[in-house]
Amino acid sequence: MTILSIIQPDNPLLRRQARRVTDFSGDLQALIDDMIATMTAAQGVGLAGPQVAQSKRIIVARLPADEGSAAEYGEDAGKLYIVANPRVVWRSENKVSGVEGCLSLPGLLGDVERFESIEITGQDRQGKPIRLSASGWLARVFQHEIDHLDGILYIDIATAVWRPEEADSLAGEVSEAQ
Ligand code: ZN
């Protein structure tokens, strides 16, 4: 497995509409494994193909699995999600505001309104159709990652963006980067 470079907005690939995944053979399997390794190494909770300069509609996500996270996120904690060609097919009426960071925008945080719950369809890593329901932080991660596939960054839709002043607060938020 390889730790991939995470691109930043100076790379136009981050702003491009990613292409549908149609080939689930070895190259995609290697990319998925590399994306998981990259997300883990960067202590992120999600990663989308364009962030590693691959214009493909593929996302990976995993919420932390420490004790506190397990208490807060239940069965979502520590579970690995891999979704090709994800599409939001249902959205709750309710939206919630929350703090987001992004591995492609180091040193920034923002308040972003997201749907509290969503359902998405897509394909697993073998290309088999899947449908997932997500609420809370997991729903937020999915929305953030799916936006990446359309070239959208959270700073485009944030109600506030700031640069945390204190090293402490930055360190505390790194685990939430997506
Ligand atoms: Zn991101």
Side-chain angles (χ1 to χ4, degrees):
M1 278 185 285
T2 310
I3 307 294
L4 305 168
S5 302
I6 296 172
I7 64 170
Q8 300 193 8
D10 58 341
N11 186 326
L13 267 182
L14 206 53
R15 290 306 204 166
R16 208 167 287 169
Q17 185 93 9
R19 290 189 290 273
R20 274 187 72 79
V21 173
T22 54
D23 182 353
F24 289 83
S25 61
D27 283 355
L28 183 77
Q29 300 306 318
L31 172 63
I32 290 169
D33 289 337
D34 289 348
M35 285 175 65
I36 294 165
T38 303
M39 170 177 73
T40 304
Q43 295 183 283
V45 294
L47 193 66
Q51 290 184 277
V52 291
Q54 294 292 317
S55 186
K56 293 187 164 83
R57 302 188 79 80
I58 180 90
I59 64 170
V60 297
R62 183 167 52 202
L63 300 190
D66 58 275
E67 236 170 77
S69 299
E72 195 164 356
Y73 305 114
E75 62 181 19
D76 291 343
K79 190 168 172 195
L80 177 65
Y81 295 90
I82 300 161
V83 190
N85 303 316
R87 205 162 66 87
V88 179
V89 293
W90 178 84
R91 297 163 177 84
S92 59
E93 276 177 34
N94 200 28
K95 282 183 155 188
V96 284
S97 189
V99 177
E100 294 186 21
C102 180
L103 295 174
S104 293
L105 299 162
L108 285 182
L109 293 173
D111 277 326
V112 186
E113 276 206 343
R114 301 282 189 187
F115 295 100
E116 187 171 35
S117 305
I118 56 168
E119 282 181 31
I120 66 174
T121 59
Q123 289 159 277
D124 70 9
R125 66 183 297 167
Q126 271 78 42
K128 195 178 125 225
I130 49 174
R131 186 182 183 105
L132 297 167
S133 301
S135 292
W137 195 13
L138 184 62
R140 175 172 297 279
V141 173
F142 282 155
Q143 290 169 82
H144 177 116
E145 301 310 330
I146 292 171
D147 275 354
H148 271 302
L149 304 180
D150 295 320
I152 298 164
L153 300 175
Y154 81 83
I155 52 173
D156 302 340
I157 54 173
T159 52
V161 176
W162 67 94
R163 199 171 282 280
E165 302 288 328
E166 293 171 22
D168 280 0
S169 87
L170 186 60
E173 299 287 358
V174 164
S175 66
E176 299 188 11
Q178 300 159 32

